[in-house]
mmCIF file of all heavy atoms in Angstrom:
data_model
loop_
_atom_site.group_PDB
_atom_site.id
_atom_site.type_symbol
_atom_site.label_atom_id
_atom_site.label_comp_id
_atom_site.label_asym_id
_atom_site.label_seq_id
_atom_site.Cartn_x
_atom_site.Cartn_y
_atom_site.Cartn_z
ATOM 1 N N GLU I 250 92.631 166.647 102.202
ATOM 2 C CA GLU I 250 94.013 167.113 102.319
ATOM 3 C C GLU I 250 94.917 166.150 103.119
ATOM 4 O O GLU I 250 96.034 165.889 102.670
ATOM 5 C CB GLU I 250 94.040 168.523 102.921
ATOM 6 C CG GLU I 250 95.413 169.163 102.912
ATOM 7 C CD GLU I 250 95.993 169.399 101.538
ATOM 8 O OE1 GLU I 250 95.223 169.684 100.595
ATOM 9 O OE2 GLU I 250 97.228 169.290 101.389
ATOM 10 N N PRO I 251 94.502 165.587 104.243
ATOM 11 C CA PRO I 251 95.400 164.651 104.945
ATOM 12 C C PRO I 251 95.675 163.356 104.146
ATOM 13 O O PRO I 251 96.665 162.684 104.390
ATOM 14 C CB PRO I 251 94.652 164.314 106.237
ATOM 15 C CG PRO I 251 93.591 165.329 106.372
ATOM 16 C CD PRO I 251 93.291 165.866 105.001
ATOM 17 N N HIS I 252 94.809 163.057 103.204
ATOM 18 C CA HIS I 252 94.918 161.803 102.451
ATOM 19 C C HIS I 252 95.524 161.994 101.072
ATOM 20 O O HIS I 252 96.180 161.087 100.555
ATOM 21 C CB HIS I 252 93.531 161.156 102.311
ATOM 22 C CG HIS I 252 92.815 161.043 103.617
ATOM 23 N ND1 HIS I 252 93.157 160.132 104.586
ATOM 24 C CD2 HIS I 252 91.791 161.773 104.130
ATOM 25 C CE1 HIS I 252 92.360 160.289 105.641
ATOM 26 N NE2 HIS I 252 91.527 161.286 105.377
ATOM 27 N N ILE I 253 95.254 163.149 100.471
ATOM 28 C CA ILE I 253 95.772 163.459 99.132
ATOM 29 C C ILE I 253 96.229 164.916 99.176
ATOM 30 O O ILE I 253 95.395 165.826 99.139
ATOM 31 C CB ILE I 253 94.690 163.287 98.043
ATOM 32 C CG1 ILE I 253 94.036 161.912 98.113
ATOM 33 C CG2 ILE I 253 95.285 163.536 96.664
ATOM 34 C CD1 ILE I 253 92.796 161.773 97.243
ATOM 35 N N SER I 254 97.536 165.129 99.240
ATOM 36 C CA SER I 254 98.019 166.510 99.392
ATOM 37 C C SER I 254 97.887 167.292 98.078
ATOM 38 O O SER I 254 98.020 166.744 96.987
ATOM 39 C CB SER I 254 99.458 166.509 99.874
ATOM 40 O OG SER I 254 100.280 165.810 98.963
ATOM 41 N N ASN I 255 97.610 168.568 98.243
ATOM 42 C CA ASN I 255 97.533 169.511 97.107
ATOM 43 C C ASN I 255 96.612 169.052 95.994
ATOM 44 O O ASN I 255 96.961 169.148 94.820
ATOM 45 C CB ASN I 255 98.932 169.793 96.553
ATOM 46 C CG ASN I 255 99.835 170.422 97.574
ATOM 47 O OD1 ASN I 255 99.393 171.265 98.356
ATOM 48 N ND2 ASN I 255 101.080 169.992 97.614
ATOM 49 N N ILE I 256 95.446 168.593 96.328
ATOM 50 C CA ILE I 256 94.513 168.133 95.284
ATOM 51 C C ILE I 256 93.708 169.328 94.767
ATOM 52 O O ILE I 256 93.153 170.097 95.539
ATOM 53 C CB ILE I 256 93.595 166.997 95.799
ATOM 54 C CG1 ILE I 256 92.734 166.463 94.670
ATOM 55 C CG2 ILE I 256 92.790 167.408 97.005
ATOM 56 C CD1 ILE I 256 92.015 165.161 94.986
ATOM 57 N N SER I 257 93.683 169.468 93.456
ATOM 58 C CA SER I 257 92.939 170.562 92.818
ATOM 59 C C SER I 257 91.528 170.102 92.480
ATOM 60 O O SER I 257 91.217 168.914 92.566
ATOM 61 C CB SER I 257 93.664 170.981 91.534
ATOM 62 O OG SER I 257 93.568 169.929 90.566
ATOM 63 N N TYR I 258 90.704 171.057 92.078
ATOM 64 C CA TYR I 258 89.343 170.745 91.653
ATOM 65 C C TYR I 258 89.361 169.752 90.499
ATOM 66 O O TYR I 258 88.646 168.758 90.510
ATOM 67 C CB TYR I 258 88.593 172.009 91.216
ATOM 68 C CG TYR I 258 88.106 172.867 92.335
ATOM 69 C CD1 TYR I 258 88.896 173.882 92.856
ATOM 70 C CD2 TYR I 258 86.838 172.681 92.865
ATOM 71 C CE1 TYR I 258 88.446 174.679 93.887
ATOM 72 C CE2 TYR I 258 86.387 173.477 93.901
ATOM 73 C CZ TYR I 258 87.196 174.467 94.414
ATOM 74 O OH TYR I 258 86.752 175.258 95.432
ATOM 75 N N ARG I 259 90.162 170.059 89.492
ATOM 76 C CA ARG I 259 90.215 169.199 88.300
ATOM 77 C C ARG I 259 90.676 167.795 88.658
ATOM 78 O O ARG I 259 90.104 166.810 88.187
ATOM 79 C CB ARG I 259 91.133 169.810 87.245
ATOM 80 C CG ARG I 259 90.534 171.049 86.595
ATOM 81 C CD ARG I 259 91.399 171.565 85.511
ATOM 82 N NE ARG I 259 91.502 170.552 84.467
ATOM 83 C CZ ARG I 259 92.186 170.693 83.365
ATOM 84 N NH1 ARG I 259 92.857 171.783 83.150
ATOM 85 N NH2 ARG I 259 92.229 169.734 82.474
ATOM 86 N N THR I 260 91.693 167.693 89.491
ATOM 87 C CA THR I 260 92.198 166.383 89.894
ATOM 88 C C THR I 260 91.129 165.632 90.696
ATOM 89 O O THR I 260 90.912 164.446 90.494
ATOM 90 C CB THR I 260 93.488 166.515 90.719
ATOM 91 O OG1 THR I 260 94.461 167.186 89.908
ATOM 92 C CG2 THR I 260 94.010 165.163 91.143
ATOM 93 N N TYR I 261 90.461 166.346 91.583
ATOM 94 C CA TYR I 261 89.397 165.736 92.375
ATOM 95 C C TYR I 261 88.315 165.148 91.466
ATOM 96 O O TYR I 261 87.935 163.982 91.612
ATOM 97 C CB TYR I 261 88.769 166.755 93.347
ATOM 98 C CG TYR I 261 87.436 166.295 93.882
ATOM 99 C CD1 TYR I 261 87.368 165.252 94.791
ATOM 100 C CD2 TYR I 261 86.261 166.886 93.457
ATOM 101 C CE1 TYR I 261 86.147 164.810 95.271
ATOM 102 C CE2 TYR I 261 85.033 166.456 93.932
ATOM 103 C CZ TYR I 261 84.977 165.413 94.839
ATOM 104 O OH TYR I 261 83.765 164.974 95.307
ATOM 105 N N TYR I 262 87.814 165.938 90.527
ATOM 106 C CA TYR I 262 86.737 165.449 89.672
ATOM 107 C C TYR I 262 87.212 164.306 88.764
ATOM 108 O O TYR I 262 86.473 163.345 88.517
ATOM 109 C CB TYR I 262 86.121 166.583 88.851
ATOM 110 C CG TYR I 262 85.203 167.444 89.706
ATOM 111 C CD1 TYR I 262 85.557 168.727 90.059
ATOM 112 C CD2 TYR I 262 83.990 166.936 90.169
ATOM 113 C CE1 TYR I 262 84.720 169.507 90.857
ATOM 114 C CE2 TYR I 262 83.162 167.700 90.962
ATOM 115 C CZ TYR I 262 83.521 168.979 91.306
ATOM 116 O OH TYR I 262 82.694 169.734 92.102
ATOM 117 N N ARG I 263 88.450 164.397 88.291
ATOM 118 C CA ARG I 263 88.999 163.323 87.457
ATOM 119 C C ARG I 263 89.133 162.037 88.279
ATOM 120 O O ARG I 263 88.720 160.961 87.840
ATOM 121 C CB ARG I 263 90.365 163.757 86.885
ATOM 122 C CG ARG I 263 90.976 162.755 85.934
ATOM 123 C CD ARG I 263 92.281 163.258 85.305
ATOM 124 N NE ARG I 263 93.177 163.988 86.198
ATOM 125 C CZ ARG I 263 94.001 163.408 87.070
ATOM 126 N NH1 ARG I 263 94.051 162.111 87.176
ATOM 127 N NH2 ARG I 263 94.780 164.147 87.837
ATOM 128 N N LYS I 264 89.671 162.162 89.491
ATOM 129 C CA LYS I 264 89.847 160.979 90.345
ATOM 130 C C LYS I 264 88.500 160.449 90.846
ATOM 131 O O LYS I 264 88.325 159.248 91.000
ATOM 132 C CB LYS I 264 90.768 161.293 91.515
ATOM 133 C CG LYS I 264 92.227 161.392 91.108
ATOM 134 C CD LYS I 264 93.110 161.594 92.311
ATOM 135 C CE LYS I 264 94.547 161.720 91.899
ATOM 136 N NZ LYS I 264 95.319 160.529 92.191
ATOM 137 N N ARG I 265 87.550 161.354 91.085
ATOM 138 C CA ARG I 265 86.231 160.890 91.518
ATOM 139 C C ARG I 265 85.581 160.058 90.414
ATOM 140 O O ARG I 265 85.008 158.996 90.677
ATOM 141 C CB ARG I 265 85.331 162.069 91.885
ATOM 142 C CG ARG I 265 84.004 161.606 92.484
ATOM 143 C CD ARG I 265 83.087 162.732 92.796
ATOM 144 N NE ARG I 265 82.487 163.207 91.558
ATOM 145 C CZ ARG I 265 81.575 164.167 91.497
ATOM 146 N NH1 ARG I 265 81.185 164.786 92.600
ATOM 147 N NH2 ARG I 265 81.078 164.541 90.346
ATOM 148 N N HIS I 266 85.700 160.542 89.189
ATOM 149 C CA HIS I 266 85.161 159.782 88.047
ATOM 150 C C HIS I 266 85.844 158.418 87.951
ATOM 151 O O HIS I 266 85.180 157.391 87.778
ATOM 152 C CB HIS I 266 85.332 160.576 86.755
ATOM 153 C CG HIS I 266 84.858 159.837 85.545
ATOM 154 N ND1 HIS I 266 83.529 159.682 85.232
ATOM 155 C CD2 HIS I 266 85.548 159.155 84.584
ATOM 156 C CE1 HIS I 266 83.421 158.955 84.142
ATOM 157 N NE2 HIS I 266 84.628 158.625 83.730
ATOM 158 N N ALA I 267 87.174 158.401 88.082
ATOM 159 C CA ALA I 267 87.918 157.141 88.005
ATOM 160 C C ALA I 267 87.535 156.200 89.148
ATOM 161 O O ALA I 267 87.419 154.979 88.962
ATOM 162 C CB ALA I 267 89.428 157.415 88.008
ATOM 163 N N ALA I 268 87.306 156.764 90.341
ATOM 164 C CA ALA I 268 86.914 155.942 91.493
ATOM 165 C C ALA I 268 85.534 155.313 91.267
ATOM 166 O O ALA I 268 85.322 154.137 91.570
ATOM 167 C CB ALA I 268 86.909 156.797 92.759
ATOM 168 N N VAL I 269 84.599 156.085 90.737
ATOM 169 C CA VAL I 269 83.268 155.568 90.448
ATOM 170 C C VAL I 269 83.344 154.476 89.386
ATOM 171 O O VAL I 269 82.686 153.436 89.499
ATOM 172 C CB VAL I 269 82.295 156.706 90.040
ATOM 173 C CG1 VAL I 269 80.979 156.149 89.529
ATOM 174 C CG2 VAL I 269 82.065 157.651 91.207
ATOM 175 N N GLU I 270 84.167 154.688 88.364
ATOM 176 C CA GLU I 270 84.342 153.680 87.318
ATOM 177 C C GLU I 270 84.948 152.397 87.887
ATOM 178 O O GLU I 270 84.506 151.291 87.555
ATOM 179 C CB GLU I 270 85.209 154.218 86.177
ATOM 180 C CG GLU I 270 84.528 155.253 85.324
ATOM 181 C CD GLU I 270 83.309 154.715 84.583
ATOM 182 O OE1 GLU I 270 83.414 153.628 83.991
ATOM 183 O OE2 GLU I 270 82.261 155.367 84.637
ATOM 184 N N ALA I 271 85.971 152.535 88.727
ATOM 185 C CA ALA I 271 86.605 151.362 89.317
ATOM 186 C C ALA I 271 85.621 150.608 90.218
ATOM 187 O O ALA I 271 85.532 149.376 90.185
ATOM 188 C CB ALA I 271 87.839 151.776 90.128
ATOM 189 N N LEU I 272 84.838 151.346 90.995
ATOM 190 C CA LEU I 272 83.830 150.724 91.836
ATOM 191 C C LEU I 272 82.760 150.043 90.993
ATOM 192 O O LEU I 272 82.288 148.954 91.318
ATOM 193 C CB LEU I 272 83.199 151.766 92.765
ATOM 194 C CG LEU I 272 82.138 151.254 93.723
ATOM 195 C CD1 LEU I 272 82.705 150.205 94.683
ATOM 196 C CD2 LEU I 272 81.535 152.415 94.516
ATOM 197 N N SER I 273 82.398 150.675 89.900
ATOM 198 C CA SER I 273 81.396 150.118 88.994
ATOM 199 C C SER I 273 81.817 148.747 88.460
ATOM 200 O O SER I 273 80.993 147.831 88.374
ATOM 201 C CB SER I 273 81.133 151.099 87.850
ATOM 202 O OG SER I 273 80.060 150.682 87.069
ATOM 203 N N THR I 274 83.097 148.602 88.114
ATOM 204 C CA THR I 274 83.541 147.303 87.605
ATOM 205 C C THR I 274 83.489 146.236 88.688
ATOM 206 O O THR I 274 83.257 145.072 88.393
ATOM 207 C CB THR I 274 84.972 147.376 87.010
ATOM 208 O OG1 THR I 274 85.889 147.776 88.005
ATOM 209 C CG2 THR I 274 85.021 148.308 85.810
ATOM 210 N N ILE I 275 83.684 146.634 89.947
ATOM 211 C CA ILE I 275 83.573 145.673 91.044
ATOM 212 C C ILE I 275 82.108 145.295 91.249
ATOM 213 O O ILE I 275 81.762 144.119 91.393
ATOM 214 C CB ILE I 275 84.168 146.241 92.350
ATOM 215 C CG1 ILE I 275 85.676 146.404 92.199
ATOM 216 C CG2 ILE I 275 83.837 145.323 93.528
ATOM 217 C CD1 ILE I 275 86.343 147.181 93.321
#
């Protein structure tokens, strides 16, 4: 919450997937 305001479950899982994908390319 202090870092990403009003984050929902769906947004969290979508962004978590995107974060893992971005990290994977690195």
Side-chain angles (χ1 to χ4, degrees):
E250 188 63 34
H252 310 286
I253 308 170
S254 58
N255 298 321
I256 185 168
S257 68
Y258 283 90
R259 289 184 62 179
T260 301
Y261 164 71
Y262 284 109
R263 184 176 40 80
K264 286 184 181 255
R265 186 183 77 176
H266 177 76
V269 171
E270 288 297 313
L272 181 61
S273 188
T274 61
I275 293 169

